[in-house]
Amino acid sequence: MTEKRIAGVIGLGSMGMGAARSLVASGVETWGTDVRAESVADIVANGGKGAASPAELASKVDALLVLVVNAAQTESVLFGETGAVKHMKKGAVVVASSTVPAAYARELEGRLAEYGLLMVDAPVSGGAAKAATGEMTVMGSGTPAAFEAAEFLLNGIASKVYRLGDQAGPGSTVKTINQLLAGVHIAAAAEAMALGIRAGVAPADLFEVISNSAGASWMFNNRVPHILDGDYAPLSAVNIFVKDLGIVLETGKELTFPLPLSAAAHQQFLGAAAAGLGKEDDSAVIKVFQKLAGIDLPEAKDAKDD
């Protein structure tokens, strides 16, 4: 008889909630915690179990998925006053899925080892939609023992799990490269749409043609519909790319490697954040051009109905 394995999820945002629900749907006993009590109540209502803090769920789980915003939050939920690490079972595994610098991931692996804990450096991609269906992509690195301990959790949240090395670091490095491309592509999509609108092309027509032409990208096809709908509810916020492209540029600085396109895209997201758009969807980076050039962007459907 297979031993029952229990999973925990710290961070029940759009992706963390999807991952937690996917684990529940796959038959895994799943505990969740978040700073927002309503998110904990949500996972409980969907078949999971809730905890008031990382410390409370830590002793119950065999594998712990950490899916918070950044390294500072990762540090807090693991080592802070109500952090999980001191309460976890020896031999348990931390699946660290926040986007962080590779140097931090390597350091974290060593610190967790001092507590007898394993770690998979496991940034994810796929957004809220793939998280909700358990089909995320995991860019993983870690020891074979760590992957073995985390296998039941990874199977519940991902359709593709890449093993990129036997220690932490390569997973976060590949995620950094992914975010370089994602951020540049979103900024480029916004610039292209803004130019087309300024030139008098109907936005919907422009999207239809480009999405079926060589200039398209996954981000163009995914984000431009937000612009066409005038819907900037944050699935991934402008501030995320201020952070992630910042990690890209810091990586380039450490390696003495020029990143001119990343730097230009970072400035666009910084401009959007400075204009008060940091908490809007990352497609709101197009509003920088609205402010600079006075272009008319599509209105939200409900605004048109008023």
Side-chain angles (χ1 to χ4, degrees):
M1 183 176 178
T2 304
E3 181 184 356
K4 181 180 180 181
R5 313 291 291 282
I6 300 174
V9 180
I10 299 177
L12 298 172
S14 58
M15 293 185 74
M17 181 63 78
R21 289 187 180 184
S22 293
L23 283 165
V24 171
S26 71
V28 174
E29 181 179 328
T30 304
W31 289 74
T33 190
D34 193 274
V35 293
R36 297 159 297 192
E38 62 270 23
S39 296
V40 178
D42 189 314
I43 192 58
V44 171
N46 283 277
K49 298 185 178 182
S53 69
E56 183 181 326
L57 66 71
S59 64
K60 300 175 173 65
V61 305
D62 302 293
L64 179 62
L65 176 65
V66 179
L67 197 44
V68 292
V69 172
N70 53 26
Q73 288 189 9
T74 299
E75 191 74 12
S76 177
V77 301
L78 290 177
F79 299 101
E81 187 176 342
T82 60
V85 164
K86 292 181 180 178
H87 306 276
M88 293 182 71
K89 310 168 188 174
K90 293 286 191 297
V93 61
V94 173
V95 179
S97 293
S98 305
T99 301
V100 301
Y104 177 76
R106 290 190 292 268
E107 175 196 343
L108 181 60
E109 183 182 44
R111 291 165 66 196
L112 291 173
E114 293 174 4
Y115 288 88
L117 301 174
L118 301 167
M119 174 182 154
V120 179
D121 175 21
V124 293
S125 184
K130 293 292 187 182
T133 58
E135 295 178 301
M136 292 192 293
T137 294
V138 173
M139 307 164 203
S141 60
T143 65
F147 271 104
E148 182 179 355
E151 184 176 14
F152 78 101
L153 185 151
L154 295 171
N155 287 344
I157 67 170
S159 59
K160 294 182 180 178
V161 178
Y162 291 100
R163 296 193 181 195
L164 302 167
D166 290 340
Q167 60 184 10
S172 286
T173 296
V174 172
K175 178 59 186 261
T176 298
I177 305 306
N178 183 79
Q179 295 309 90
L180 181 163
L181 289 164
V184 168
H185 287 172
I186 294 169
E191 183 174 292
M193 288 299 298
L195 176 62
I197 291 168
R198 180 60 179 267
V201 180
D205 291 343
L206 186 58
F207 172 70
E208 174 66 21
V209 174
I210 299 300
S211 65
N212 289 290
S213 302
S217 67
W218 191 93
M219 281 299 188
F220 183 93
N221 291 346
N222 185 265
R223 296 307 203 265
V224 173
H226 301 184
I227 297 168
L228 298 179
D229 292 340
D231 182 3
Y232 299 98
L235 298 179
S236 173
V238 163
N239 281 339
I240 293 295
F241 277 97
V242 172
K243 170 186 73 81
D244 288 0
L245 286 172
I247 292 173
V248 170
L249 294 175
E250 281 299 314
T251 302
K253 183 178 177 181
E254 291 168 9
L255 297 173
T256 317
F257 193 91
L259 295 165
L261 298 182
S262 302
H266 191 233
Q267 286 298 309
Q268 287 298 99
F269 285 104
L270 276 174
L277 305 170
K279 294 184 179 180
E280 293 193 19
D281 187 76
D282 50 37
S283 59
V285 71
I286 195 173
K287 293 183 181 181
V288 172
F289 295 102
Q290 183 183 40
K291 293 177 183 295
L292 289 174
I295 60 172
D296 292 325
L297 295 176
E299 296 181 10
K301 289 185 172 63
D302 54 357
K304 294 177 183 177
D305 294 339
D306 289 344

